[in-house]
Amino acid sequence: MSMHLPVRPVWTCAGCGQAWPCLTRKRQLLAEFAGARVSLMLYLSRFFVEACVDMPAITSGTMYRRFFTWPYEPSDGRHSNESAPPER
């Protein structure tokens, strides 16, 4: 079990004190949900909603970027269509 869990209501990481999800937890989640990106996004949705309730002063756009854009950012410097968000 990861020590990098959110501390509510401030949503910092219990393991390292950074904003949650921290870099370590992001890496863990990518490994845990490898090949299951939709499941990862559904999992993150739960935390997104809870964080929005806990921190109403933070804009929804900021919260969206915090919870939903990082899984699509290349982690190794390479760009890949596989990691890009679906186009609309």
Side-chain angles (χ1 to χ4, degrees), residues 2-86:
S2 176
M3 297 300 298
H4 294 271
L5 301 171
V7 176
R8 295 178 66 183
V10 294
W11 288 84
T12 57
C13 177
C16 65
Q18 299 299 313
W20 195 91
C22 65
L23 182 59
T24 298
R25 188 62 181 141
K26 289 175 183 178
R27 288 179 180 154
Q28 292 171 345
L29 289 169
L30 287 174
E32 289 172 29
F33 288 91
R37 194 63 53 108
V38 172
S39 296
L40 172 59
M41 300 313 278
L42 290 171
Y43 178 80
L44 290 172
S45 295
R46 169 187 162 221
F47 294 106
F48 171 76
V49 170
E50 292 175 6
C52 287
V53 170
D54 286 346
M55 300 184 293
I58 299 178
T59 67
S60 58
T62 299
M63 297 302 280
Y64 176 87
R65 284 186 295 280
R66 181 173 175 172
F67 285 88
F68 298 123
T69 60
W70 64 266
Y72 296 104
E73 296 170 354
S75 59
D76 60 359
R78 293 182 295 169
H79 295 281
S80 165
N81 289 336
E82 180 181 52
S83 66

